[in-house]
Every structure is written in C-alpha cells, then in structure tokens.
Amino acid sequence: MRILVTNDDGIHAPGLRCLEDIARELSDDVWVVAPETDQSGVSHSLSLNDPLRLRQAGEKRFAVKGTPSDCIIMGIRHLLKDHGPDLVLSGVNRGQNVAEDVTYSGTIAGAMEATILGVKAIALSQAYGIGGRANVKWHTAAHHGAAVVRRVLEVGIEPGILVNVNFPDCEPEDVKGIAVAAQGVRNQALLSIDERVDGRGNPYFWLAFAKARFEPGHGTDLKAIADGNISITPLRLDLTDEPTLTRFAQAFT
C-alpha cells in the first residue's frame, strides 16, 4: 500500500512526524507532501494566483509553498502520477477538528481533495486541553492511530466519503474507547472578537471563543472527545440536503 501524508500545520510540525510514524506502521511506502508553512484554517483553498514552489525536504518528503489542497494535487498529479497512492492520511492536526471546524480545517481539506481525486482519505487530529498548544499528547495519537486507520480500512470507505478521526486529550491508556459520532454543533454565542491596541495605539483584533460551560449534543464528535473517546465521523463530499431538495422541487414545479 502506498500512502501519501499531508497536513495543514506545515512540513516541520510535530504532528506530521507523528503521522509519518503511524503511516509506517501500515506500509513501507510512505510519501510526504506538506505545506512549507502553517496553513491552519485555510479550508479547501487553492493557490490560483501564485505559482507552487516544490522543495525536497528528505527522502520521499516534499514541501509545497501552498495549501494542503495544493499539496495533495501536487502529490497525486505530479510526484506520484505514474503510481498514485492507495491512501491519503492528513494530520495529525494540533488540536481537534470537530463540529464547525471541518468547514475551516486545512487538515480536513487535504483529505477532501484526495477524495475528490478518487483516493481513500482519513483526517486525524489530536485534541489538547488546559495545557495548551505546548502540551499536546501526540503519544496518544501515535499509540492508537495505526490500529484505528487499519480498522477503518477493513470496514471500508465508499467513494465520495472521507473519514474524520479525533483523539481525546488524555493519556493513551485512559482512552475510553471509540465512538462513531455525528458532526456536532458549537454554541456560536461564545464566538467573540478580542480587541487590543498595539504599541502605536492602533487597534487590532483576534477571533476568540469565550470560555464557558457548554454541554455538547449526545452522539456528536464534541461529546465523544469530551468523554475521552476517539471519535470517528464519516463526511460526505455531496453537500446536497435531500429533504430541502425535494421540498424546493415541489415548490418550483
């Protein structure tokens, strides 16, 4: 099995090394094509107004000055055009990708682009908590990752579907289990604008979520992670809402 690995945190991210190790538990033919710099939050964007710069960063390791979607296209349609990958793994993202995150995440977008190009794809993310970004438990994803990916592949991924996997913020031995979960919904009332002033007296702003108690919906990825489970959520490329499609068709006939 040939595996193509990408991420959105960049070629030097610790989560990428973690995912490379996971991939090598599954295959000895692992290729890495990742962004040159951090591309978190770029979603499914493509670089249409700038050239793509490709740099070799090691054996079967390449950095692209572009987005995760650019990386997947470069990997599948250029570097591996004569023998494409059987699987794309995207991540391991620094922080969970659940609920509305999936619409913003470059990690999810890497898996999405692979799915569009007809390659099975899984996105993986490691949640972190009060310890912050400097205390991400990469060893939890590393410990469970290969077994989860292997099981997902055994069950099968249908065309047009990508799989979103999130590991909870706990030690590997404290993981409660695996929960197949629906995409959750956050309380958007907690979204706020953090206004600050720079040294010259000019205002600048950060997007932020206020810290408050929030009870995630039962059966969702948010709830699974909060309960210490690994969450697995299948996502569809086809965004059509069938009930509304039927209702509109009746109304406009």
Side-chain angles (χ1 to χ4, degrees):
M1 178 170 60
R2 172 167 282 187
I3 300 177
L4 175 60
V5 173
T6 195
N7 74 344
D8 72 357
D9 290 325
I11 190 71
H12 301 297
L16 184 66
R17 287 292 188 183
C18 177
L19 189 54
E20 289 180 64
D21 291 341
I22 291 171
R24 290 193 177 96
E25 290 187 51
L26 303 166
S27 172
D28 59 2
D29 189 8
V30 177
W31 292 70
V32 176
V33 184
E36 187 75 71
T37 59
D38 190 340
Q39 298 291 306
S40 298
V42 301
S43 188
H44 199 185
S45 60
L46 297 172
S47 298
L48 300 179
N49 297 311
D50 296 297
L52 298 180
R53 306 288 184 181
L54 181 68
R55 177 178 67 87
Q56 186 156 5
E59 184 180 359
K60 297 183 179 180
R61 299 186 89 245
F62 296 85
V64 175
K65 191 175 181 181
T67 68
S69 298
D70 295 332
C71 292
I72 292 299
I73 295 171
M74 183 66 76
I76 294 176
R77 292 295 171 84
H78 177 65
L79 291 169
L80 304 178
K81 63 181 179 181
D82 295 327
H83 177 192
D86 303 293
L87 174 68
V88 165
L89 298 178
S90 186
V92 173
N93 191 69
R94 188 195 303 265
Q96 63 191 28
N97 271 316
V98 294
E100 295 85 0
D101 297 342
V102 303
T103 65
Y104 303 115
S105 169
T107 299
I108 300 295
M112 186 177 294
E113 186 62 37
T115 303
I116 289 172
L117 296 178
V119 180
K120 294 177 181 178
I122 303 172
L124 302 96
S125 302
Q126 175 63 56
Y128 63 83
I130 58 175
R133 292 169 60 89
N135 294 285
V136 181
K137 296 181 178 64
W138 299 115
H139 53 291
T140 299
H143 182 84
H144 293 282
V148 171
V149 170
R150 191 177 289 113
R151 183 57 180 146
V152 167
L153 294 177
E154 288 172 354
V155 174
I157 305 174
E158 294 297 320
I161 304 294
L162 58 131
V163 178
N164 184 27
V165 176
N166 284 270
F167 300 95
D169 176 39
C170 63
E171 295 299 322
E173 63 272 17
D174 294 329
V175 171
K176 301 289 181 57
I178 296 176
V180 178
Q183 180 184 339
V185 178
R186 285 194 179 89
N187 179 4
Q188 293 301 320
L190 299 178
L191 178 62
S192 64
I193 300 292
D194 183 5
E195 182 176 0
R196 303 186 186 186
V197 178
D198 66 20
R200 298 177 64 87
N202 300 309
Y204 68 98
F205 307 89
W206 288 105
L207 296 179
F209 272 92
K211 296 186 181 301
R213 291 189 60 83
F214 168 64
E215 185 61 34
H218 180 72
T220 66
D221 47 14
L222 286 163
K223 179 65 172 173
I225 292 297
D227 289 346
N229 292 299
I230 298 169
S231 73
I232 298 180
T233 302
L235 302 173
R236 295 174 58 93
L237 289 181
D238 183 357
L239 302 180
T240 306
D241 182 72
E242 295 292 344
T244 304
L245 179 70
T246 300
R247 184 164 56 86
F248 277 23
Q250 293 171 344
F252 290 95
T253 299

